[in-house]
Amino acid sequence: MKISKSYKTVILTGLFMPMTLFILGVYNGIMQTIYRAGVIHQSSVGGINYYQGLTMHGVINAIVLTTFFAVIFGHVTVSHYLKREPPKLTYQVSMLLMIIGTMMDLVAMLTGKAQALYTFYAPLKDSAAFYIGTALLIVGSWIAFFGWVKIWLEWRKENPAKKMPLAILGTFVNFSMWFVSSLPVAYETLVILTPWSLGWTTSINIPLTRMLFWMFGHPLVYFWLLPAYIAYYTILPNVAGGKLYSGNAGRLAFLLFLILSTPVGVHHQFSEPVFTQGTKLWVSVLTYGVALPSFMTAFTVGASLEYAGRKRGAKGLLGWMVKLPYFQQDNYLFGYFICGLILFIFGGVSGIVNASYALNQMVHNTGWVPGHFHMTVAGPVLLVILGMSLYIYTSVSGKTLKFKSLAVIVPYLWMFGVALLSHGLMAGGLMGEPRRTNLGLSYTNPDSPLFNKHWVATTTITMIGGMLMGTAALIYFIVFFTTALSKATAPPQIILPESEELHEEKPIPLLLNMKPWLIASIILTMFTYVPALISVFKYSKPVKNQFQTESPVNEEK
Ligand code: HAS
C-alpha cells in the first residue's frame, strides 16, 4: 500500500527514536552484569549510579521501546489489512505525546531524579516529571488505538461479510487490554504519586500503589508479547514457507489473553502480607490459566513450522526442524522469530514455576525472576521487535537492508547470550542470589565480610551472557543505523508477509465478537481486585513517608 509523507514520518520516527535510546538501555544492561559479577566494586560508573542505570535499563527497554513498537507495528498491521491510513490527527498527536513523555522520563532518569526502577511504585519516589512523562507515553499510545478503531468501523461498513483479519483481532485485543489495564496506573501516577512527589501530600498507602502498579504490570507483559504473537501467527508461517495450521486456534488464544491477562497481577505480590490466602490461591489458578493460550500457540505455531519443514522435503518425526530456513539472508525474519520461540519455551516453563505459590516463595526477589523474564521479554518480544523493525524500516523508507549477512547472525548470537545470562541468574537465584542488588559492593567482593563464593560462578556466567548480548546488539545497531542513514532506492510502502490458513475453518461466532470476552474480562478482574482492594484498605493505611533511596527504613518518627 502507498503511504502519505506524514504517516511515513511518524512510522520512521517511531522506530528510529526508541532504537537510538535502546543503545543506552543496552549499555546499562551490560553494566548490570559487570557490577553483579564483582568486576567493579563501585556504586556508580561514568556518573550513572547502579539504581539509576537499572532504572534506565528497565524503562527504556521494557516500557519505551516496547510501547513505541506496539504502536508502530499496530499502524503497519492495521493499514496493511484495512488498506487505509488512520486519521492524521490521531497518529500525529499520539506520536507527539509519546515523544514528549519519553523525553521527560529520559531527562528525569539522566539527572538522577528518577531511580525507582521500572516498577515505579512507592515507597521509592521519582520526580513528578517521570510520572507525568510515563502517563503521556501511555495516553499517546491510546490515541493511536482510537484512530485504528475509527478506520476499522469504516472498513466494517464497507465489508460487512468479511471476517475481522486475525492480525487486526490480535491488535485490538492487545490495545483493549492495554487501555483497561493502564487506567489503574494512570490513576496511581497522576492522582497518588505526582502530588506526593511534589510534596502536596505527605502520606502514602504503599500497598495500594503496589497493587495498582501490578494491576497494570502484568497485562503489560502481555502487551509486550502480543505483537510478537501476531507476527508468529500471521507472518512466521509464510516466511517459514508454510501455512498457519489453524486460524481459529489463533483467535481463541488472543481472546483468552483478553480475559486472563489483567486479573492475575497479584501473582507478583504473593509475598505481600495484605492479601488473603484466598486471593492468592485464586490468582495462582488464573495464572496457570493464562499459560493456556501460550501452550495453544506452541502447538499451532509448532504445527505450522512442521508443515513448512515437510513441504521443504523433511522426513521422520523431527526432520522438519532441520529443513527450516535458518540462515537465509533474504529471509532474515525467520531467524529472529525462531530464536525468540526457542527462548520462550524456557521463559514459559520458568513462569509456570513462578505461578506456584509455594515455589514462588523460593524464587521471589532472587536472580531467578530476571532469569525468567529475560527469556520472555528479551526473547520473543525483543527479537520480533528487532527483526520487524528492520523489515518495517526498509519497506516504509524504501531503503535497502545493509550488511544482510550480519543481520542474519544477530538473533542466534543474542539467543546464546540470553540463554547464558538467564542460566547464570536462575542458578544463582536458586542459591538465594538477590535481584536488583549491586553484588560487587558486597557478596561478590572478596574483600567484603559478606563475600559469598557460591555466587562467583553464576554471576560470571551471567556477565559472559551479557557480553554476548551486547555484541549482538552492537552488530544490530550497525545494521539498523547504516540502513536508516542510507539513501532510498524504492518507493515507500506498507507491506507485510501474510500467512494463508491451512484449512478452510467454519466461522465460530464467539470467536468473531470481542464483546462477550470484554465483559468476561471485567468480571474476572473484579473477582480478583474487589477482594484485593478490600484487603488493602483493611490491612494497610497511608503512612507519612520519609524513605530515602539509600535505606529501606522509614525514618518518620
Ligand atoms: Fe512472567 C514475573 C508468571 C510469561 C515477564 N514475568 C515476571 C516479570 C517479568 C515477566 C518482566 O506467577 C518480573 C516483574 C518484576 O520486575 O518483578 N510469566 C508467568 C507465567 C507466564 C509468564 C505463568 N512473563 C511472561 C511473559 C513475559 C513475562 C510472556 C514478558 C513478555 N512471571 C510470572 C510470575 C512472576 C513473573 C508468577 C512473579 C515472580 C516473582 O515472584 O516476582 C506464562 O504466560 C508463560 C506461558 C508460556 C509458555 C511457553 C509456550 C512456548 C512457546 C514456544 C514454542 C516454540 C516453538 C518452536 C513452537 C507455556 C509458544 C519449536 C521449534 C524448534 C525448532 C525448537
Side-chain angles (χ1 to χ4, degrees), residues 82-112:
L82 305 184
K83 298 285 170 271
R84 66 198 76 197
E85 294 182 7
K88 189 170 172 181
L89 191 68
T90 58
Y91 63 73
Q92 286 189 328
V93 171
S94 145
M95 186 51 55
L96 195 68
L97 289 182
M98 289 173 69
I99 292 177
I100 296 173
T102 302
M103 286 304 144
M104 288 172 74
D105 283 359
L106 188 66
V107 172
M109 290 188 294
L110 282 172
T111 52

Side-chain angles (χ1 to χ4, degrees), residues 133-176:
T134 306
L136 286 180
L137 172 68
I138 293 172
V139 172
S141 67
W142 293 351
I143 293 176
F145 177 40
F146 300 154
W148 305 335
V149 173
K150 180 164 185 301
I151 55 172
W152 156 252
L153 293 174
E154 288 166 14
W155 185 89
R156 176 85 289 175
K157 232 190 223 162
E158 292 161 22
N159 302 277
K162 283 196 187 159
K163 273 201 280 190
M164 184 187 233
L166 180 57
I168 303 281
L169 176 75
T171 308
F172 279 26
V173 160
N174 200 21
F175 275 79
S176 306

Side-chain angles (χ1 to χ4, degrees), residues 238-241 312 325-336 408:
N238 173 312
V239 298
R312 291 168 178 274
Y326 292 99
F327 291 102
Q328 288 178 4
Q329 289 189 14
D330 288 324
N331 199 2
Y332 59 87
L333 276 181
F334 184 82
Y336 287 84
V408 170

Side-chain angles (χ1 to χ4, degrees), residues 118-119 214 218 221-222 224-225 229 257 267-268 270 287-288 290-291 294-295 297-299 301-302 305 320-321 324 326 338 340-342 344-345 347-352 354-356 360 363-365 369 372-373 376-377 381 435-436:
Y118 87 105
T119 50
W214 284 120
H218 195 77
V221 312
Y222 294 117
W224 303 334
L225 183 69
Y229 269 24
F257 276 116
H267 73 213
H268 293 268
F270 280 144
T287 306
Y288 289 121
V290 79
S294 288
F295 279 120
T297 303
F299 176 79
V301 174
L305 291 175
W320 58 272
M321 289 191 186
L324 295 170
Y326 292 99
I338 194 77
L341 277 173
I342 293 170
F344 196 45
I345 297 172
V349 170
S350 53
I352 291 165
N354 300 343
S356 142
N360 188 276
V363 298
H364 183 63
N365 272 343
V369 174
H372 154 65
F373 72 66
T376 55
V377 64
V381 173
R435 68 183 286 202
R436 296 177 154 173

